[in-house]
Amino acid sequence: MKKNRLQISIIIPVLNEAHGIVQMLNHLTENSSSNNIKEILIVDGGSTDTTVALAERNGARVITSAKGRAKQLNYGAKHAYGDILYFLHADTFPPKDFDVSILNAIADGYKTGCFQMKFDSDSKFLNFFAWFTRVNHKLCRGGDQSLFITKSLFTNSGGFNEAYVVYEDNEFIGRLYKSAFFKVLPRHVKTSARRYEERGMLRLQYHFGMMHLKNYLGAGPEQLYDYYKRKISI
């Protein structure tokens, strides 16, 4: 009896992403095989622009969730049809045949992992920090690198901690490092440097580093969110 083919649900949480959602959906379609992709699932947190209409018009399945990345990601995972969940930011673009890379990793026995990362910028400062995404340590991880995980491991791990308004990716991946071998794929996603350019590269990287330090020293989700609101959010 032929074994059923594993397929991927790409899960993208969004809030007012009309400016870039069509480009993202076209990129995903052009750089993967429809045989491997069960669905592109957009989890909308209450957009007031045309994000939902554009996503549906360009082939995505759209569901609506309570606002908040952790809540949206968990809601997407709960309603996903695929065997493998691939969590992706709306401004992070995977490499060509990313689906094949993920499925090959799963076939090799890895249940979770990510890609390395590059910025869409020539900044030596940003490229220096992006270089460390090749290092397989939880301190070098982040949501911008995307995340693949089998649905069974996601369920068994409890998913994202919804108490975290920010830092939810890091907290979840930190738990995954304790329960499974985390695979860093030797290819790169490309993510937007817009936030660094708008808020100052050195300033933003410093505050992200401080959040890692605060988490290491025992700061909880409320303390991290308070720091984010005071130092990062504008």
Side-chain angles (χ1 to χ4, degrees):
M1 184 176 177
K2 187 176 180 180
K3 188 176 180 180
N4 292 333
R5 176 195 294 269
L6 296 178
Q7 289 186 304
I8 301 168
S9 284
I10 303 172
I11 301 174
I12 308 175
V14 299
L15 182 66
N16 295 330
E17 294 287 349
H19 62 281
I21 194 65
V22 174
Q23 181 187 7
M24 166 57 73
L25 294 175
N26 287 340
H27 177 89
L28 294 174
T29 301
E30 292 167 1
N31 288 279
S32 65
S33 168
S34 59
N35 291 330
N36 296 330
I37 305 300
K38 184 69 173 180
E39 62 185 338
I40 301 175
L41 182 56
I42 299 295
V43 188
D44 185 64
S47 294
T48 56
D49 62 6
T50 58
T51 297
V52 171
L54 288 171
E56 291 177 335
R57 197 179 304 156
N58 286 272
R61 181 163 77 97
V62 180
I63 57 176
T64 302
S65 159
K67 180 182 175 181
R69 279 184 49 80
K71 293 178 181 179
Q72 289 171 247
L73 292 167
N74 283 340
Y75 195 76
K78 180 180 179 180
H79 291 85
Y81 298 140
D83 315 281
I84 302 161
L85 310 177
Y86 182 45
F87 298 105
L88 188 66
H89 286 190
D91 60 357
T92 296
F93 293 80
K96 185 171 180 58
D97 298 327
F98 64 90
D99 53 324
V100 176
S101 295
I102 292 171
L103 290 170
N104 285 343
I106 297 293
D108 288 340
Y110 301 107
K111 296 181 178 180
T112 185
C114 70
F115 288 93
Q116 298 173 36
M117 186 189 74
K118 291 180 179 179
F119 286 100
D120 61 352
S121 168
D122 294 328
S123 166
K124 292 182 179 179
F125 177 80
L126 291 181
N127 288 332
F128 170 77
F129 284 100
W131 183 92
F132 286 96
T133 62
R134 71 186 62 194
V135 179
N136 199 344
H137 190 282
K138 64 181 181 180
L139 286 178
C140 298
R141 303 279 70 83
D144 285 336
Q145 299 161 37
S146 69
L147 174 69
F148 71 85
I149 183 170
T150 62
K151 195 166 188 179
S152 58
L153 177 57
F154 182 88
T155 301
N156 293 336
S157 69
F160 292 88
N161 186 338
E162 295 183 7
Y164 284 81
V165 180
V166 296
Y167 210 76
E168 72 289 330
D169 295 304
N170 301 80
E171 190 278 333
F172 182 41
I173 292 172
R175 280 187 280 125
L176 291 177
Y177 263 85
K178 296 178 181 179
S179 62
F181 186 88
F182 195 91
K183 176 67 173 178
V184 179
L185 298 173
R187 304 184 68 203
H188 297 82
V189 296
K190 182 175 287 187
T191 195
S192 173
R194 181 180 59 182
R195 185 163 54 164
Y196 285 89
E197 293 166 350
E198 291 175 349
R199 304 181 190 182
M201 296 179 186
L202 183 60
R203 172 181 176 272
L204 196 56
Q205 191 62 43
Y206 168 79
H207 289 309
F208 282 148
M210 286 299 297
M211 288 185 69
H212 280 294
L213 178 60
K214 286 179 176 294
N215 178 72
Y216 177 77
L217 295 175
E222 292 183 0
Q223 293 168 292
L224 292 173
Y225 184 48
D226 178 70
Y227 184 87
Y228 179 88
K229 286 190 296 182
R230 289 186 292 108
K231 303 294 186 179
I232 297 175
S233 181
I234 57 173

